[in-house]
Amino acid sequence: WLGAQNPNLQKAREALGRIADDGRRAADVIGRIRALIKKEPPSMVAVEINETIREVIVLTQGEMTKNGVSLLTRLADGLPLVQGDKVQLQQVILNLIINAAEAMASSDEEPRELHIATNSTDSQSVLVLVADSGPGLASTNYERLFDAFYTTKPTGLGMGLPICRTIIEAHGGQLWASANLPRGAVFQFTVPILPAG
């Protein structure tokens, strides 16, 4: 944009603004992961979970397009705010979306669909669901997925899902996996709502 005969300064400013925002976001993620490793408590604030999910979806659009994945969302209206560390919750959602996209990319099955849904489970927590139409996993593997260094990917380190579970448990929630029928996997987690008052 700057090298053109008539430089497009507005486009250059927008691109630089996005680069700066991404840099800040990456620094936040690294800082929160360092705090998690040091076993520091999460920085709990009021978080609107649907907005948090939408922000992560924007970040993952390129990965989904690259892998030919269609995104379907069903985000419940009027959900209560949750109590959490927004950056850490985004990290969990990001990991689940990327894992799903990569699982579907490794399969020849069509269509490749990623479903993301939210709902209120009860008066205490909000549920987030990420389901894919990939190859799925053997039922005996679901709990092992959360063991450190266990991976189903040829190039995986086996750290993403254990970190995700640690984050969700530090928030007072739960993270689990199950089969998606007729094929694929479902990952769900709960996060406690913000206490009244």
Side-chain angles (χ1 to χ4, degrees):
W1 290 306
L2 294 176
Q5 187 171 1
N6 295 318
N8 189 333
L9 299 179
Q10 182 60 33
K11 286 285 189 189
R13 278 189 205 96
E14 289 171 7
L16 291 172
R18 285 192 302 274
I19 290 168
D21 290 345
D22 289 347
R24 281 189 289 276
R25 196 172 6 254
D28 284 345
V29 168
I30 291 167
R32 295 306 204 296
I33 290 174
R34 289 184 73 221
L36 183 68
I37 291 168
K38 291 180 181 178
K39 300 200 184 300
E40 294 175 9
S43 174
M44 300 297 222
V45 296
V47 177
E48 207 287 312
I49 198 70
N50 287 343
E51 174 191 321
T52 303
I53 291 168
R54 286 185 193 102
E55 289 174 6
V56 174
I57 288 171
V58 169
L59 293 175
T60 59
Q61 281 295 349
E63 187 71 19
M64 287 190 276
T65 301
K66 179 179 91 175
N67 291 312
V69 174
S70 299
L71 175 65
L72 305 162
T73 59
R74 196 176 70 247
L75 306 180
D77 292 328
L79 288 177
L81 296 174
V82 299
Q83 180 171 328
D85 183 312
K86 184 174 181 178
V87 172
Q88 286 187 3
L89 292 174
Q90 284 179 323
Q91 187 63 34
V92 170
I93 296 161
L94 177 68
N95 189 279
L96 296 178
I97 290 174
I98 296 298
N99 282 354
E102 289 176 353
M104 288 184 281
S106 70
S107 170
D108 294 331
E109 296 283 340
E110 296 285 343
R112 295 177 178 167
E113 294 180 340
L114 176 64
H115 295 260
I116 302 175
T118 56
N119 207 347
S120 183
T121 59
D122 51 35
S123 61
Q124 304 298 317
S125 59
V126 167
L127 174 76
V128 176
L129 175 143
V130 178
D132 67 63
S133 61
L137 300 161
S139 60
T140 56
N141 290 346
Y142 286 117
E143 204 46 43
R144 285 205 64 204
L145 293 172
F146 302 101
D147 292 344
F149 305 113
Y150 176 81
T151 183
T152 59
K153 297 190 241 179
T155 59
L157 297 176
M159 291 304 298
L161 289 173
I163 289 173
C164 289
R165 181 172 264 181
T166 299
I167 289 171
I168 295 301
E169 288 177 350
H171 281 74
Q174 294 180 312
L175 169 64
W176 67 97
S178 59
N180 188 20
L181 299 175
R183 61 188 168 84
V186 179
F187 287 84
Q188 299 178 76
F189 67 88
T190 58
V191 186
I193 66 171
L194 190 70

